[in-house]
Amino acid sequence: MADRHVPDFGGPDFRGPDFGGLAIRDLVIAPGASPIRQAIAPGEIVGLAGLDGHGQELFLKMLAGLAPPLGGSIVLDLPGGGGKITGFRKAVSSGIAYLPRDRRANGIFPTQSVLDNFAVSTLSRDTRLGLISPAARRARYDIYREKLSIVAPRPDAPITTLSGGNQQKVLLARALALEPAILLLNDPTRGVDVATRHVLYDVFRGLASDGMGLVILSSEIEEILLLCHRVLVFRENEVAAEIAGQALTTDTVISAMFGRAA
């Protein structure tokens, strides 16, 4: 249920010329595992792959502050100094947004409207003179509805009336409304139709072009090959391989997942 806790943090747009990226320093995600040293640069899309249960999802959740590491640290290089991630609240307030894997269990609030699901994490941005402004909320929602091509009958409709793909777009809009420097995506196209997938792909590429760093865990190798500049392949709770450039192929990723030479 930790994924469902989406408090209102507000805050500035963290992207800017002084944002230096996300540093993962000697991170240990399981007993006996080798420490992980990585950096996510602004504008970079990094993929996470591996067989189920080999640590890639745990690693992503640690970046989001949803699981404590056994050792090491995660630091955002922000204007004016660094920000060490010590939990989910700190991650979000520092400039990290997370999109959960299971939108039904950990993402949507099924009894709430489309608009309420969108605005729940950023209520303070719609406040005028201490009161929530419905017009401001609606105007902000409309911006993201257009950007993500969200198809919804009306903002006050129950979110459960939307297709799975449009529910996912609302959750992505909620994450983007935080204006993060780093976006963490846990299998973001799981259970959505082909047309929605390609809309999301274009959005992810556009965000990277604008300077946002993205980390994408995907259960589909083809998706990783399409989107990512480089891929970290996890095996037994360690980064077994880092693959980029011309070496980034289906064969090399699968070989690394099974501990074989390509």
Side-chain angles (χ1 to χ4, degrees), residues 226-250:
L226 277 172
L227 289 171
C228 299
H229 300 115
R230 61 189 173 99
V231 175
L232 307 179
V233 181
F234 281 73
R235 181 171 172 78
E236 297 179 352
N237 297 302
E238 300 178 0
V239 176
E242 180 176 345
I243 309 170
Q246 293 184 345
L248 186 53
T249 66
T250 301

Side-chain angles (χ1 to χ4, degrees), residues 59-203:
F59 174 74
L60 189 71
K61 288 189 172 185
M62 286 182 180
L63 299 188
L66 289 168
L70 300 187
S73 62
I74 302 157
V75 179
L76 264 175
D77 183 6
L78 299 170
K84 185 176 180 180
I85 305 308
T86 55
F88 179 68
R89 183 176 293 271
K90 177 64 174 177
V92 177
S93 65
S94 296
I96 295 176
Y98 172 74
L99 189 69
R101 181 174 192 168
D102 189 339
R103 63 177 172 269
R104 290 182 179 86
N106 300 315
I108 66 168
F109 295 90
T111 61
Q112 302 299 313
S113 70
V114 173
L115 185 58
D116 287 339
N117 269 273
F118 162 74
V120 65
S121 63
T122 50
L123 291 176
S124 65
R125 301 189 186 190
D126 306 319
T127 302
R128 304 293 183 269
L129 301 175
L131 299 173
I132 293 176
S133 166
R137 277 208 321 168
R138 173 64 185 267
R140 201 158 54 84
Y141 164 73
D142 284 341
I143 291 171
Y144 288 95
R145 177 183 56 79
E146 185 174 345
K147 283 183 178 180
L148 300 179
S149 302
I150 296 172
V151 178
R154 60 188 192 278
D156 62 348
I159 193 167
T160 51
T161 63
L162 273 58
S163 68
N166 282 292
Q167 290 179 23
Q168 188 75 336
K169 289 179 183 179
V170 172
L171 294 184
L172 178 59
R174 183 168 77 195
L176 295 180
L178 291 164
E179 299 176 333
I182 296 287
L183 180 62
L184 308 176
L185 302 163
N186 193 340
D187 227 350
T189 65
R190 183 171 178 249
V192 305
D193 59 74
V194 173
T196 300
R197 280 174 184 253
H198 288 285
V199 170
L200 294 177
Y201 293 165
D202 288 342
V203 169

Side-chain angles (χ1 to χ4, degrees), residues 17-37:
D18 296 324
F19 169 55
L22 184 69
I24 297 106
R25 301 171 178 169
D26 296 320
L27 195 74
V28 178
I29 67 173
S34 298
I36 298 169
R37 303 177 187 91

